[in-house]
Amino acid sequence: MSVILEFTIGGEDFQLGEVLAGAADMSLEIERIVPTGDMMMPFVWATGSDHETFEEQVRAHPVVKELLVLDRIDRNVLYRIEWVDTPTNLLEGIAQAEAVVLEARGDETWTFRLRFPDHDRLSQFHNYVLEHDIPLHIDRTYTLAEETERGHRFGLTSEQREALVLALQRGYFATPREVSLDELAGDLGITRQSLSTRIRHGNEKVLRRTLLSSATDYE
C-alpha cells in the first residue's frame, strides 16, 4: 500500500527553494517533477502580480539553464525550470524513490506531501536524505487507511479512497479539469479503466451515504 510523507524544509536547504527564494508577493507551488534523461525538471506555478521580476531573478541564477513559460491564466503562470547540471538534492531523491508530489508550496519554508508506492520506497528516500545531509523536518507518515476512518464511513475500499483523494487533490473534478484520467492512472500505476472504475464506484458510495436519508436506501 502507498505511504504518505509530510515534511517541511527551509527554502535555502534545497536547490529549487534557493532558486525561487526572495520572490516578493509571489505564491509558489510545485505541480510535478518530470525526469528527462539525467535531469529532474520541476514544473512550478507562480501566482502574483510581478512575474517579470520573478522571471528575471530565476533566469539570473547560475544553476538555471532556462525558465520556460508553459501557461498563463490571469495572475497564475506555470513554469518549467531546466538546470545547467543535474542537481543532487531533494528533487533527485524524490524522483529516485518514485514519489508523487501531492502538494509542495512555500517560500522561506516549504511544505511537502509526497506519496510513495510502498514503505521500501519511503525507506529509500529516507536513506537518500541522510546520505546527502538534507535537513528536512518530518511531520508525519501514514497510509491512507491509517490516516482517517472517514473513507470507511462511506464504505470505500482503500483503493477507491486513494483514487478519489488523488483525483480531488490534482484537480480532476475542477472545471476545466486540471489533470487527465490517464495522468492519474499513471501516478497510481494502474490502467485508465481501473482508475475510472474506482472513481465511479467510490463516487456512488459517497453520494449514496450523503444524499440518501434512510439506512435502508443504502442497500
Side-chain angles (χ1 to χ4, degrees), residues 44-61:
V44 179
W45 280 104
T47 302
S49 57
D50 193 359
H51 288 280
E52 182 177 350
T53 299
F54 171 75
E55 292 168 11
E56 291 176 355
Q57 170 190 310
V58 173
R59 290 191 174 106
H61 200 287

Side-chain angles (χ1 to χ4, degrees), residues 79-182:
Y79 297 97
R80 185 181 74 199
I81 297 176
E82 297 181 7
W83 307 113
V84 173
D85 296 308
T86 303
T88 304
N89 68 13
L90 181 64
L91 299 191
E92 179 73 18
I94 292 173
Q96 286 187 11
E98 299 181 1
V100 174
V101 178
L102 299 179
E103 182 178 7
R105 61 179 71 240
D107 40 48
E108 295 182 0
T109 300
W110 283 74
T111 299
F112 280 80
R113 188 153 55 90
L114 308 179
R115 180 172 54 80
F116 295 85
D118 49 43
H119 282 90
D120 288 340
R121 290 297 188 181
L122 174 61
S123 296
Q124 177 183 340
F125 176 73
H126 179 68
N127 291 335
Y128 182 96
V129 166
L130 293 178
E131 290 170 4
H132 293 83
D133 295 320
I134 300 174
L136 58 81
H137 178 270
I138 296 177
D139 296 316
R140 61 173 180 155
T141 61
Y142 55 91
T143 65
L144 290 177
E146 294 167 342
E147 143 67 343
T148 178
E149 293 183 354
R150 284 176 294 179
H152 299 297
R153 187 175 69 197
F154 296 115
L156 298 173
T157 66
S158 59
E159 290 80 8
Q160 288 167 350
R161 175 173 168 75
E162 181 180 39
L164 287 175
V165 168
L166 182 61
L168 182 61
Q169 291 168 337
R170 294 287 305 279
Y172 178 73
F173 299 114
T175 304
R177 283 180 176 167
E178 299 172 3
V179 66
S180 70
L181 200 63
D182 288 327

Side-chain angles (χ1 to χ4, degrees), residues 1-36:
M1 178 179 291
S2 60
V3 187
I4 310 298
L5 170 67
E6 296 180 359
F7 65 87
T8 55
I9 184 171
E12 73 281 1
D13 293 323
F14 69 109
Q15 183 167 295
L16 179 60
E18 180 185 349
V19 168
L20 300 177
D25 301 322
M26 299 293 282
S27 174
L28 304 169
E29 181 177 359
I30 299 173
E31 181 182 77
R32 62 186 184 274
I33 304 168
V34 177
T36 303

Side-chain angles (χ1 to χ4, degrees), residues 31-32 42-44 68-72 77-80:
E31 181 182 77
R32 62 186 184 274
F43 290 68
V44 179
L68 300 175
V69 176
L70 302 182
D71 205 354
R72 292 184 184 272
V77 180
L78 177 63
Y79 297 97
R80 185 181 74 199

